[in-house]
Amino acid sequence: MKRFRQHLLICGGTGCHAAGSADVRTALQNEIKKQGLADEVAVVETGCNGFCAMGPVAVVYPGGTFYVSLTIDDVPELVQEHFLKGRPVERLMYKEPASKDIIPDMKDIPFFAHQQLIALRNRGLLDAESIDEYIARDGYRALAKALTEMSPQDIVNEVKKSGLRGRGGGGFPTGLKWEFCQRTPGEIKYVLCNADEGDPGAFMDRSILEADPHSVIEGMTIAAKAIGAHHGFVYCRAEYPLAIERLKLAIEKATEYGLLGDNILDTGFSFNLQIYQGAGAFVCGEETALMRSIEGKRGMPRPRPPFPAVKGLYDKPTVLNNVETWANVAPIIIKGGDWYASIGTAGSKGTKVFALTGHVNNIGLVEVPMGTSLRTIIYDIGGGMPKKHRKFKAVQLGGPSGGCVPEQYLDLPCDYEEIIKAGAIMGSGGMIVMDDSTCMVDMARFFMEFVQDESCGKCTPCREGTRRMLQILEKICEGRGEMSDLDLLEELAAMIKDSALCGLGQTGPNPVLSTLRYFRDEYVAHIVDKKCPARTCVNLIEFRVDEALCKKCGQCFKACPVGAISWEKKQPAKIDLTKCIKCKTCIENCKFDAIV
Ligand SMILES: Cc1cc2nc3c(=O)[nH]c(=O)nc-3n(C[C@H](O)[C@H](O)[C@H](O)COP(=O)(O)O)c2cc1C
Ligand code: SF4
Ligand code: SF4
Ligand code: SF4
Ligand code: FES
């Protein structure tokens, strides 16, 4: 095997791809060749590193020097300085947003330093298209152990001992789910992977499949042995072409290597895996709808019981787990359930991947032990609020099924139980940080619109009830709300939660309920004062400069795209309403909240 003096690992995940990483990689390869370094420096494309907002990112080993926001124009300098002369290029390194200090090593960057990687253990470290690199990092060792040294019950016991709970939203104990299925008699059983990932803002499953597809295949094959299944499907939304391409290649390679397919590792055990592409409906992530979709029918939920472990795909006993759940299985088998259970809190073991986004400096994927506080995630890892004049307001957890958690819960340890107590849910790990420029009524309206759009229409409470709730929220945002609407919202929410058939309807009112619980005064301000305190709802903004607040800085004047603002030095700004198109750019640019 060829040995190189240095490896430059450039991220090829979707975020970096969108930022031009493929062109940067080609330019790096060409420049390395041009400088006569092709036999000394290897350029490897990896999956997502988690720090997507800084893309394209690259890390150089040995050493771990981390480069961010690379462009093709940076390439000649990078290659000549770092690889030819041994002088790392400071201007391309990460700068701490507040202090502007340069942090050269990846491991010292706060975004990475506070994380503990289990599901994302291989991120940024291997070429997702190379099974050899996965194997070199202990890949398929857990499968070999499960097939040759463990009985199906041993496997189930180890996963039960680990305390692993499903990462797709429900948090159901994984080992218990496998045991139910194992104990259900049946010649034909199935193992499925839920890669539908419908929560707005969540992208951990896509990232795992793009960066480390073999970890999912290995976990699924171990479960297949545990329950006695010989066939499986990965249900992945068609909007994830790179994930599908890499998974397809990984399945082919694993089959070629005798790690998947017939007679795996010569043990006599067979497991075949197929990909099924979904059309991207949120409801198809619900387990019974997902199975109907694979069967070629319209993806609609059905009542449970019977649960899939008894009657699942094609009415056969089936285990369905989420991508991140699957990625945790191999380390549990190798290191043991006790090791995994030693991480996290009493009821929530191991780590959780969060998709950190919104008003935070370091947007990206974060894997931390269960029980890590919101403050650590948002401030230490996320780097806090990007706009100095803005204050933290709330964090939305769990997507459309979740809720928002206000400032007083910043020290909340993130685990399943504690998040529920605060009125949200862990969900799949979506974490949207919001500063005080966010209107909580509008936020609730946004999620209700999503739920309404995605309702499959099968049951009346969800189909009609969410429509009514959305109409009321729209009315309030437009300044036509009445106080009695708040009671009506709560009444409708309780009715939908109680009587909807599936989780979409049962949890859909949560964002409204949590904002009513913590930010009722904002609803009242919209209804009684006809004001949107965050100045988001256009109908409730006057688009007038409050001269008492105006600091005469002229920022709004410079930012207005249609020249509707007049301003002169040492004079307050003025808005000409006949020209104003209500785009809110001036509001975003005024640090003194002087536009009301
Ligand atoms: C409306 C709805 C959408 C869902 N979407 C997803 C999804 O995109 N991915 C996922 O893993 N689970 C999703 N779930 C949860 C699944 O039904 C199921 O509980 C999960 O895939 C089981 O895997 P786990 O035990 O590993 O979490 C959804 C549930 C509901 C009600
Ligand atoms: S709750 Fe909503 S999404 Fe679920 S079955 Fe009923 S209508 Fe469909
Ligand atoms: S940006 Fe704000 S403070 Fe500055 S001139 Fe405009 S209204 Fe006044
Ligand atoms: S809302 Fe937009 S168009 Fe109107 S004054 Fe402000 S920046 Fe100009
Ligand atoms: S895609 Fe490159 S860091 Fe996420």
Side-chain angles (χ1 to χ4, degrees):
M1 197 170 148
K2 204 166 171 182
R3 293 178 72 97
F4 292 90
R5 172 168 63 85
Q6 279 167 308
H7 282 78
L8 188 152
L9 304 176
I10 177 154
C11 180
T14 294
C16 287
H17 240 279
S21 68
D23 291 342
V24 175
R25 187 199 60 209
T26 309
L28 278 162
Q29 283 164 331
N30 291 341
E31 187 66 27
I32 281 170
K33 217 182 273 169
K34 191 171 138 195
Q35 299 296 338
L37 296 169
D39 289 333
E40 294 176 48
V41 181
V43 177
V44 179
E45 186 181 72
T46 70
C48 174
N49 280 260
F51 212 4
C52 313
M54 290 281 148
V57 302
V59 55
V60 182
Y61 289 107
T65 307
F66 195 68
Y67 290 115
V68 298
S69 308
L70 293 173
T71 67
I72 43 177
D73 295 338
D74 298 325
V75 168
E77 182 187 351
L78 179 63
V79 172
Q80 286 165 38
E81 287 296 309
H82 192 128
F83 297 104
L84 212 54
K85 300 176 187 163
R87 293 196 299 231
V89 185
E90 286 198 350
R91 77 168 182 89
L92 299 175
M93 292 174 187
Y94 175 77
K95 283 181 206 68
E96 216 278 312
S99 63
K100 303 283 177 235
D101 287 346
I102 290 169
I103 308 181
D105 283 6
M106 185 178 183
K107 66 174 179 2
D108 299 328
I109 296 173
F111 179 79
F112 295 107
H114 296 275
Q115 298 194 46
Q116 181 175 359
L117 307 185
I118 299 177
L120 304 179
R121 60 195 173 279
N122 291 325
R123 83 168 178 199
L125 287 175
L126 49 80
D127 174 357
E129 300 190 356
S130 162
I131 189 169
D132 295 331
E133 292 196 13
Y134 181 71
I135 291 170
R137 285 191 49 82
D138 264 357
Y140 290 108
R141 192 152 76 84
L143 178 65
K145 183 176 172 188
L147 293 191
T148 59
E149 295 170 28
M150 298 171 84
S151 69
Q153 194 55 49
D154 289 339
I155 300 172
V156 167
N157 287 345
E158 211 56 52
V159 177
K160 276 172 72 181
K161 212 195 298 176
S162 74
L164 175 65
R165 294 170 64 173
R167 302 299 194 235
F172 191 81
T174 304
L176 211 57
K177 189 191 272 190
W178 295 11
E179 192 166 60
F180 289 147
C181 194
Q182 185 190 52
R183 290 189 179 166
T184 308
E187 285 281 293
I188 300 175
K189 295 184 182 180
Y190 293 102
V191 173
L192 309 182
C193 171
N194 192 340
D196 192 54
E197 195 159 60
D199 278 7
F203 61 105
M204 56 284 281
D205 295 347
R206 187 196 73 209
S207 180
I208 291 172
L209 287 174
E210 285 178 1
D212 200 13
H214 288 286
S215 67
V216 175
I217 297 173
E218 187 173 11
M220 291 180 76
T221 314
I222 291 168
K225 171 70 184 175
I227 66 159
H230 302 292
H231 209 101
F233 290 90
V234 178
Y235 186 90
C236 187
R237 55 176 52 224
E239 289 105 318
Y240 284 0
L242 188 61
I244 289 169
E245 192 187 307
R246 295 213 167 128
L247 185 63
K248 201 166 145 215
L249 187 72
I251 291 173
E252 279 165 19
K253 280 285 164 198
T255 309
E256 191 186 310
Y257 276 51
L259 297 162
L260 194 63
D262 295 334
N263 191 21
I264 296 172
L265 291 170
D266 231 1
T267 58
F269 177 71
S270 301
F271 180 60
N272 289 285
L273 196 53
Q274 272 174 268
I275 303 171
Y276 191 94
Q277 295 190 37
F282 180 58
V283 76
C284 283
E286 193 280 337
E287 56 188 22
T288 60
L290 181 149
M291 289 172 205
R292 283 178 70 97
S293 177
I294 296 180
E295 290 167 6
K297 299 173 194 151
R298 183 170 168 187
M300 273 183 159
R302 63 153 174 83
R304 296 168 306 171
F307 288 97
V310 176
K311 214 170 171 190
L313 183 65
Y314 299 113
D315 289 343
K316 305 294 180 203
T318 301
V319 157
L320 166 78
N321 279 119
N322 163 262
V323 171
E324 188 187 332
T325 315
W326 287 125
N328 276 292
V329 171
I332 289 171
I333 297 298
I334 298 271
K335 296 185 181 174
D338 286 334
W339 160 78
Y340 195 82
S342 71
I343 303 160
T345 61
S348 307
K349 303 299 186 188
T351 55
K352 176 75 193 93
V353 181
F354 291 99
L356 185 61
T357 178
H359 298 138
V360 64
N361 273 308
N362 302 332
I363 286 170
L365 278 190
V366 169
E367 183 173 3
V368 288
M370 290 278 193
T372 302
S373 74
L374 281 171
R375 193 183 295 281
T376 302
I377 299 173
I378 295 167
Y379 286 92
D380 298 340
I381 298 174
M385 311 289 104
K387 289 189 179 164
K388 285 201 182 72
H389 66 288
R390 293 275 163 231
K391 272 183 31 216
F392 173 85
K393 185 169 192 176
V395 54
Q396 216 283 344
L397 299 172
S401 310
C404 62
V405 174
E407 195 177 6
Q408 70 253 39
Y409 288 103
L410 267 178
D411 291 309
L412 182 87
C414 284
D415 74 6
Y416 289 102
E417 287 74 22
E418 293 298 319
I419 293 180
I420 286 174
K421 278 189 218 159
I425 62 160
M426 175 87 77
S428 62
M431 193 178 271
I432 306 169
V433 180
M434 292 170 286
D435 67 23
D436 57 3
S437 67
T438 313
C439 169
M440 302 315 275
V441 186
D442 184 62
M443 201 271 298
R445 187 205 52 76
F446 166 81
F447 279 111
M448 189 46 70
E449 190 174 26
F450 179 85
V451 167
Q452 221 287 306
D453 261 2
E454 297 291 339
S455 166
C456 80
K458 182 168 176 168
C459 59
T460 317
C462 171
R463 187 186 63 237
E464 299 302 327
T466 58
R467 190 192 305 274
R468 276 298 290 137
M469 285 187 77
L470 178 61
Q471 283 166 351
I472 296 170
L473 291 165
E474 283 171 348
K475 206 174 114 186
I476 297 173
C477 288
E478 285 164 13
R480 296 182 291 111
E482 294 153 53
M483 282 306 283
S484 57
D485 285 335
L486 300 187
D487 298 333
L488 195 52
L489 276 176
E490 278 169 335
E491 205 179 301
L492 280 165
M495 182 274 294
I496 298 168
K497 280 171 78 70
D498 259 9
S499 53
L501 174 62
C502 85
L504 189 146
Q506 288 157 7
T507 59
N510 285 352
V512 179
L513 290 176
S514 73
T515 46
L516 274 170
R517 174 172 164 188
Y518 295 120
F519 298 97
R520 202 177 185 91
D521 53 338
E522 275 193 41
Y523 282 86
V524 175
H526 282 69
I527 295 168
V528 179
D529 308 336
K530 306 292 173 204
K531 287 242 177 308
C532 172
R535 290 163 309 134
T536 298
C537 300
V538 169
N539 283 14
L540 301 179
I541 307 173
E542 292 177 50
F543 293 97
R544 172 178 66 82
V545 175
D546 181 335
E547 294 196 0
L549 295 174
C550 179
K551 295 277 185 276
K552 305 162 187 168
C553 69
Q555 288 306 316
C556 56
F557 165 76
K558 289 178 196 149
C560 178
V562 295
I565 300 182
S566 52
W567 167 81
E568 275 170 37
K569 265 190 186 158
K570 298 189 183 162
Q571 293 300 317
K574 274 202 168 44
I575 297 178
D576 180 349
L577 285 175
T578 60
K579 290 187 189 159
C580 174
I581 55 167
K582 302 191 173 179
C583 68
K584 296 191 285 183
T585 308
C586 52
I587 292 176
E588 282 153 26
N589 281 275
C590 177
K591 287 185 185 161
F592 308 101
D593 291 347
I595 298 163
V596 292

